[in-house]
Amino acid sequence: MKKVLNNPVGRTLLRGLLKLNATRYKLQNANSHNKNEVTNMADLNAIFTQMEQRFDASAAAGTDAVFQYDISDGGEWFVTVQDGSCAVAEGSSDEPTVTLRMDSTTLEEVMSGETDGMQAFMTGRIQADGDIMLATKLAVLFPVA
């Protein structure tokens, strides 16, 4: 091995192999990042689907609102509550009643009941704009199973 590294051809070959290995490492990390994004989107889809299933129509009587969710690592979603019904959609609403910003971990913890939404808001894990008092109804509209 020492003979190979002591001549110009061997050193050039070693440099080439190291570059190839570095390129392969970068590609693996990039693919891993893309897989995490796909997994995160699937997880968010499951969370919002579950949210729609947990909707308590009787608690929504008289509520007409659009809850916009801006998930820092997962995109935008909005939940429309109107006439005792609930609809969830990916994307941005034109006129949200309240906008909630958080990361996907916080959303998952709040939806599972692991973290209290008000506590997450008070500690800065959730930021809100618009009718903030309406956001306090989320726990009643979408009770933890």
Side-chain angles (χ1 to χ4, degrees):
M1 182 71 164
K2 217 175 200 185
K3 282 184 180 180
V4 172
L5 294 177
N6 283 334
N7 71 55
V9 174
R11 286 191 296 270
T12 302
L13 179 62
L14 182 61
R15 270 194 302 272
L17 289 172
L18 289 172
K19 283 182 183 178
L20 179 63
N21 194 38
T23 302
R24 191 178 82 196
Y25 178 77
K26 286 179 187 175
L27 287 174
Q28 282 177 334
N29 282 345
N31 288 338
S32 172
H33 180 69
N34 289 341
K35 286 179 188 174
N36 287 342
E37 283 182 18
V38 170
T39 301
N40 192 29
M41 290 305 293
D43 291 345
L44 285 174
N45 193 19
I47 289 170
F48 281 104
T49 299
Q50 182 184 54
M51 186 178 193
E52 195 170 22
Q53 293 167 352
R54 291 183 359 202
F55 177 68
D56 182 356
S58 62
T63 303
D64 185 12
V66 177
F67 299 92
Q68 177 71 51
Y69 289 83
D70 290 341
I71 310 301
S72 61
D73 56 345
E76 297 178 324
W77 297 74
F78 65 97
V79 179
T80 304
V81 175
Q82 187 175 28
D83 298 326
S85 66
C86 169
V88 174
E90 189 173 356
S92 181
S93 170
D94 292 335
E95 294 185 32
T97 311
V98 62
T99 300
L100 303 164
R101 286 181 303 284
M102 67 194 83
D103 61 21
S104 61
T105 302
T106 301
L107 176 65
E108 186 174 6
E109 289 175 4
V110 169
M111 294 308 298
S112 70
E114 183 180 334
T115 299
D116 177 63
M118 185 58 72
Q119 181 183 7
F121 176 75
M122 297 302 277
T123 59
R125 292 181 65 195
I126 297 176
Q127 291 86 42
D129 290 323
D131 188 349
I132 297 171
M133 291 309 293
L134 189 60
T136 63
K137 289 184 73 171
L138 285 169
V140 176
L141 295 172
F142 304 97
V144 176

